[in-house]
Amino acid sequence: MAIRGNLSEASLPDVLQLLAMGSKSGSLSLASDKGYGSIYFDNGRISFAGVGGRALATADAVYTMFAWTMGTFSFEPGVTPPKDAELVAVDPQELLLEGARRVDEWSLIEKKIPSFDLVYTLDRQQMLRNSIAFSLEQQMLLPLIDGYRDVKELMRESGLGEFGVGKALYGLLSGGFLIPVGKREPDAQVAEGVIAEHRNLGIAFYKARMYTDAAREFRRIIELRSTDATASFFLGLIAIRESRWSDAALAFQTAAATSPKSSAVFVNLAYAYERMGQYEKARMALEQVVNRSPAPEPLAHLGLGALALQRRDLEAASAALERARQAWGGATPPAAWFHYAGLEAAMRGDVHGAAQRLNEGVHHYPAEPVLLNNLAVAQEMCGHFDEARLAAERAVSTDFAMPQLYRNLGDALRRAGRPEEAQAAYQRAEAVHAGAVAG
């Protein structure tokens, strides 16, 4: 038997309860000025629900229709869900309490976000001043908010659903982290050849270390096609080269929004976060790489190891560094791996193990000053003073001699009974330090 009525006289929760108590099977259709939708029942339990024109899970579709107070409904028995529908079995009673809460919250959200066509951009200054923790939904949404995507696109690309996105945006707007920029203007059609020309030039300039010229080409791509992930990625790399960490993080966030499966994007994003001292954000970015990648990502594990050392979690650091080396297989790890492996051993008090790791690293990277410096320190801690001096001498002969290298050399020379040479090394350390400060 068909049931028809008006939502102003019988609310959707009332109708759901009636159909559930009657163990009905069929389709409940709703039509209002806010849209149209259907809720399918199987022996009184909701098996599927959808709202026209929206990609919503069954529960979210029902919650959306809870807010429809005007319109009509019609129940037709025996009607089954579409063949490609993802079926569930939900007791309508389970949705009523959450639905009522969402209706109340949505009335507040609608006042701040009156249209799904609105576009927002981040208030960068407010973001930099921020000291509060964002919710998980807000963290997922922030990389997508670029002054180009409207609310509908944020819903589609984040997968959070209307209520999740609305609630996250409401909180960000209330905190002053977003700036409304109106409604999105569609991109003009740009020939792929034009984009490719700017991209090739930009990459060539980047490889030649002509970063200003490279940035110009990649910014031009963004002007022509705001969602170009490659351009945003290279702008992030350029910002890293110039130690502009917040600009790098923002560029990688933008690249991640349109290239969410790119491990390189998230690894570099984590590095930018780490340099800004935002270690938890760095860890989350690296864990996304580890969790999403079909194959082990050694750089992600290496980064997690470095972060674990920073918080002095030696067990986690050791495990992450071991996973990184296993992921490289038979290939030689980068110099950074030997640096962190030596540091981890030294922090455990295993100075001989630290020296062994660093010796191995120097064997593969004989002109790496940081490894040579650390090796000199480790050899000194082992009581191998001649080896420490030799490592320090090799370190200062590199093209990247830091003040600390000369200080360590001075210590080794003094211990070897060569005070004049030691004094010369100390003076050289002061000169290099003064030059760095002046520069």
Side-chain angles (χ1 to χ4, degrees):
M1 173 179 176
I3 304 173
R4 293 180 176 80
N6 195 301
L7 290 172
S8 62
E9 298 174 354
S11 69
L12 178 56
D14 293 335
V15 177
L16 294 183
Q17 287 182 308
L18 176 65
L19 296 174
M21 289 188 293
S23 299
K24 299 295 185 180
S25 296
S27 172
L28 176 67
S29 301
L30 292 87
S32 78
D33 57 347
K34 296 183 179 180
Y36 62 91
S38 298
I39 303 174
Y40 293 87
F41 284 80
D42 183 9
N43 290 322
R45 299 179 72 85
I46 295 174
S47 59
F48 179 72
V51 175
R54 305 187 195 180
L56 298 172
T58 289
D60 289 330
V62 176
Y63 295 144
T64 296
M65 288 182 274
F66 274 165
W68 298 358
T69 57
M70 302 296 293
T72 61
F73 64 85
S74 174
F75 178 77
E76 294 291 337
V79 179
T80 58
K83 291 183 179 180
D84 59 349
E86 186 174 340
L87 301 182
V88 296
V90 180
D91 185 343
Q93 296 287 349
E94 298 175 9
L95 305 181
L96 295 181
L97 186 60
E98 174 67 11
R101 183 184 68 81
R102 290 197 180 196
V103 168
D104 291 340
E105 289 192 34
W106 193 257
S107 65
L108 297 176
I109 293 171
E110 281 184 319
K111 293 177 182 178
K112 280 192 177 291
I113 311 170
S115 170
F116 290 167
D117 295 323
L118 290 175
V119 177
Y120 297 95
T121 190
L122 298 175
D123 186 328
R124 297 187 185 183
Q125 296 303 314
Q126 183 71 354
M127 291 290 292
L128 291 174
R129 291 191 295 266
N130 175 49
S131 60
I132 65 173
F134 293 116
S135 69
L136 178 61
E137 290 79 9
Q138 288 170 339
Q139 293 178 37
M140 294 174 63
L141 209 57
L142 284 171
L144 301 174
I145 300 172
D146 58 359
Y148 179 80
R149 294 177 175 85
D150 59 22
V151 177
K152 291 194 299 289
E153 288 175 299
L154 295 179
M155 292 172 178
R156 182 176 66 252
E157 295 190 28
S158 69
L160 292 174
E162 293 182 4
F163 183 77
V165 170
K167 187 175 181 179
L169 289 177
Y170 179 87
L172 293 171
L173 284 165
S174 299
F177 298 108
L178 302 184
I179 301 172
V181 295
K183 295 187 177 182
R184 171 184 165 184
E185 294 293 333
D187 276 345
Q189 293 297 316
V190 181
E192 185 59 38
V194 174
I195 298 293
E197 181 179 354
H198 287 293
R199 182 183 297 119
N200 293 338
L201 274 174
I203 292 174
F205 284 136
Y206 179 81
K207 289 181 177 178
R209 300 186 180 183
M210 300 170 64
Y211 299 129
T212 300
D213 295 310
R216 182 189 63 243
E217 298 300 324
F218 291 123
R219 289 195 184 101
R220 181 55 182 150
I221 293 175
I222 296 298
E223 291 173 0
L224 297 172
R225 182 184 294 167
S226 62
T227 58
D228 191 283
T230 300
S232 295
F233 177 71
F234 273 96
L235 286 172
L237 293 181
I238 293 167
I240 281 181
R241 296 286 185 181
E242 297 174 347
S243 300
R244 294 183 287 107
W245 310 117
S246 61
D247 289 340
L250 183 61
F252 292 131
Q253 286 175 346
T254 302
T258 50
S259 186
K261 296 183 179 180
S262 172
S263 298
V265 170
F266 284 96
V267 169
N268 282 281
L269 175 60
Y271 179 68
Y273 280 146
E274 181 183 359
R275 295 309 300 262
M276 289 191 291
Q278 298 180 9
Y279 302 116
E280 183 61 19
K281 289 183 179 179
R283 183 187 63 79
M284 292 178 64
L286 291 172
E287 286 186 346
Q288 285 195 59
V289 176
V290 171
N291 293 333
R292 293 181 180 182
S293 299
E297 290 287 348
L299 289 177
H301 289 297
L302 177 61
L304 288 171
L307 291 171
L309 287 174
Q310 188 275 331
R311 63 178 186 271
R312 307 190 70 83
D313 186 346
L314 300 184
E315 183 176 348
S318 177
L321 291 171
E322 180 60 27
R323 283 193 288 268
R325 182 144 203 183
Q326 290 176 356
W328 270 302
T332 301
W337 185 90
F338 294 100
H339 165 71
Y340 288 120
L343 181 59
E344 184 269 334
M347 290 174 69
R348 283 192 286 105
D350 181 10
V351 293
H352 293 281
Q356 181 180 358
R357 288 295 195 196
L358 292 165
N359 256 323
E360 184 185 358
V362 168
H363 172 74
H364 293 291
Y365 303 96
E368 182 61 43
V370 175
L371 290 181
L372 288 165
N373 177 69
N374 293 352
L375 177 59
V377 174
Q379 295 285 29
E380 181 180 344
M381 294 175 69
C382 291
H384 303 155
F385 301 119
D386 287 339
E387 289 88 342
R389 177 179 52 79
L390 290 172
E393 288 175 343
R394 288 176 61 185
V396 299
S397 69
T398 65
D399 293 333
F400 187 65
M402 302 174 291
Q404 188 60 44
L405 300 181
Y406 287 102
R407 296 189 188 103
N408 291 341
L409 176 59
D411 292 342
L413 290 169
R414 178 174 53 80
R415 187 174 288 103
R418 297 157 62 177
E420 293 181 359
E421 294 175 77
Q423 185 60 31
Y426 291 138
Q427 290 174 348
R428 181 59 177 160
E430 293 303 318
V432 172
H433 175 73
V437 172

